Amino acid sequence: MSLAAARPLISVYNEKNERNGTLTVCLPAVFKAPVRPDIVSFIHNEIAKNKRQPYCVNVDAGHQTSAESWGTGRAVARIPRVRGGGTHRSGQGAFGNMCRGGRMFAPTKTWRRWHRRVNVAQKRYAMCSAIAATGVPALVMAKGHVIDGISEVPFVVSDNVQGLQKTKQAVEFLRRNKAWADVAKVYATRRMRAGKGKLRNRRRVQKLGPLVIYDQDQGLTKAFRNIPGVDTMQVDALNLLKLAPGGHLGRFCIWTASAFKKLDTLYGTWKKPSGAKSNWNLPMPKMANTDLSKLLKSEEIRKVLRAPNRKIVKAKKTKANPLKNIRALLKLNPYAAVTKKQAALTQEKNVRDKAAKKTGKAAADPMAKRNAAVAKSGKKSKK
């Protein structure tokens, strides 16, 4: 929600930047609408496509020659080749996008889907967000506007400004109201465009200055139209491309008092629907209070939360590998102990036999007594 909502009454300044103590206007409800940069960026991107003009390359480009493939068997690529002889061109590849003088890959056509249908409700939502963002000084400054000398944001001036006839009067008005710093920034940023646009009647680029929004044009548009970066717009025909240029929120707007008062009629107030847009009221914010840290620390929330669980839960032991852990192996296969013991005895016997072979003496069997006792007990049991 806009920070301007903290000030329900907005002061009105005259063309000499003098504040009329008795003349104030109520803040329109649209300035309390949720600021959604995602919707604004998406809708701006879609709307901007509707101004494009179709273009394409000539349908015959790259095919205005007689060429035919030589086929296989001549140890050359099967690309079509120019016919004839007696010139460098004969025998050269043609038609393909990899060939000199050939057509481009996938030649562009005029029947591309240039324009986009945009949801009306989404357009209105984006417009409300863009208007609300113009009342947040942080967003206006983040956009790059120089508003250090401006008395209030949103900046509302008297309807006398609508009657300005000369550019000299408009410049004087901007200087007295400390808005000329933003126009001076525009002059400072005028530079040559990078790229081919220099050849296409758009040689220079510059930043944008303030946007003057009026209700009745009594000469105002002609007075401001020759000042670089300054745009004018009628309040009944607000345009997202000017309110949020580039899809970025926070254009510095100068409102006339009558245009400012008209916003409630155009966009509604939650209690009363819009008088100009059928079946439309302001979008509801997802959160009434967006200060999340304050919400989490509030007593109302803290007292209904359960106590934190401070019991330390030990991590479950990892499963032992039976190929490395003998106990895990015996759980799975108790007979493994017998095979392991037998393998150890066999290895010892082999070592003894090898040693005896070197010395030439018969090796003593450490299991001889045990084997004899086993054999003796076996004979007794048979009798």
Side-chain angles (χ1 to χ4, degrees):
M1 186 181 292
S2 169
L3 296 177
R7 293 183 293 108
L9 291 177
I10 307 296
S11 303
V12 178
Y13 294 83
N14 63 13
E15 58 271 25
K16 296 180 180 178
N17 200 26
E18 295 169 348
R19 180 177 173 181
N20 190 336
T22 58
L23 185 58
T24 55
V25 290
C26 291
L27 183 78
V30 70
F31 280 90
K32 301 173 188 176
V35 177
R36 292 285 302 275
D38 54 338
I39 294 178
V40 171
S41 177
F42 171 73
I43 297 300
H44 180 282
N45 190 39
E46 296 293 285
I47 291 175
K49 292 176 182 176
N50 293 334
K51 204 176 178 183
R52 296 191 292 180
Q53 290 183 343
Y55 66 87
C56 73
V57 295
N58 191 310
V59 70
D60 295 321
H63 280 267
Q64 293 176 323
T65 184
S66 174
E68 191 176 0
S69 173
W70 288 356
T72 59
R74 297 183 62 172
V76 292
R78 288 175 287 185
I79 192 77
R81 295 176 184 277
V82 179
R83 296 179 163 196
T87 175
H88 290 296
R89 182 62 174 140
S90 58
Q92 288 183 354
F95 298 165
N97 63 306
M98 74 292 292
C99 298
R100 178 175 176 270
R103 53 154 172 75
M104 66 178 285
F105 167 74
T108 50
K109 304 294 181 185
T110 54
W111 54 80
R112 186 190 301 185
R113 190 168 74 100
W114 300 99
H115 305 101
R116 299 289 185 273
R117 179 194 169 277
V118 186
N119 190 308
V120 172
Q122 282 186 325
K123 274 195 288 190
R124 291 174 179 174
Y125 198 133
M127 184 63 71
C128 292
S129 286
I131 293 171
T134 62
V136 184
L139 291 177
V140 177
M141 295 178 77
K143 184 85 168 64
H145 292 287
V146 183
I147 57 168
D148 302 333
I150 300 299
S151 306
E152 289 184 35
V153 174
F155 187 50
V156 184
V157 296
S158 68
D159 287 339
N160 296 339
V161 176
Q162 295 178 159
L164 298 179
Q165 301 284 339
K166 296 284 188 180
T167 303
K168 182 164 62 175
Q169 296 172 326
V171 170
E172 185 182 2
F173 160 74
L174 291 173
R175 287 187 184 278
R176 287 188 172 179
N177 284 277
K178 313 298 182 187
W180 185 255
D182 202 40
V183 180
K185 173 209 65 179
V186 175
Y187 278 105
T189 58
R190 296 185 79 174
R191 58 202 182 277
M192 197 70 76
R193 180 187 295 273
K196 290 281 187 181
K198 288 193 291 289
L199 313 176
R200 296 171 183 160
N201 296 325
R202 37 180 198 267
R203 294 186 65 79
R204 290 178 177 80
V205 289
Q206 63 187 19
K207 288 198 172 185
L208 290 174
L211 172 65
V212 181
I213 301 174
Y214 61 91
D215 183 25
Q216 300 292 328
D217 180 14
Q218 298 162 359
L220 173 137
T221 52
K222 288 185 178 180
F224 281 96
R225 69 182 178 182
N226 204 32
I227 304 174
V230 179
D231 293 318
T232 56
M233 197 162 52
Q234 212 272 340
V235 69
D236 292 309
L238 294 179
N239 187 351
L240 188 69
L241 299 177
K242 287 187 176 181
L243 266 177
H248 306 298
L249 294 165
R251 180 91 187 255
F252 171 39
C253 295
I254 299 173
W255 302 82
T256 63
S258 56
F260 200 68
K261 293 173 185 175
K262 211 170 183 181
L263 288 174
D264 275 343
T265 308
L266 290 172
Y267 292 97
T269 61
W270 282 301
K271 294 181 180 178
K272 185 180 68 174
S274 166
K277 306 175 191 302
S278 61
N279 301 322
W280 173 254
N281 207 331
L282 290 173
M284 294 294 292
K286 299 289 182 186
M287 297 176 68
N289 183 4
T290 54
D291 191 351
L292 196 59
S293 59
K294 186 177 180 181
L295 284 174
L296 295 176
K297 292 175 184 176
S298 65
E299 284 300 319
E300 292 84 351
I301 290 178
R302 289 172 73 95
K303 69 183 180 184
V304 295
L305 294 175
R306 64 170 176 78
N309 185 8
R310 303 202 181 275
K311 183 181 177 183
I312 299 172
V313 180
K314 288 186 178 179
K316 189 180 179 182
K317 277 190 175 181
T318 55
K319 188 177 179 181
N321 186 356
L323 299 175
K324 296 180 180 179
N325 191 317
I326 187 65
R327 290 183 180 177
L329 178 63
L330 292 177
K331 282 182 181 179
L332 297 173
N333 180 18
Y335 191 71
V338 177
T339 56
K340 275 184 171 293
K341 181 66 176 173
Q342 191 62 41
L345 292 173
T346 304
Q347 186 179 4
E348 288 176 11
K349 181 177 178 297
N350 293 339
V351 171
R352 287 195 309 273
D353 290 347
K354 191 174 182 181
K357 196 172 183 180
K358 282 184 180 180
T359 58
K361 296 179 181 179
D365 186 4
M367 300 292 291
K369 287 185 179 180
R370 183 176 179 279
N371 290 340
V374 170
K376 194 173 182 181
S377 64
K379 286 179 183 180
K380 285 181 180 180
S381 62
K382 284 180 182 179
K383 291 177 181 181

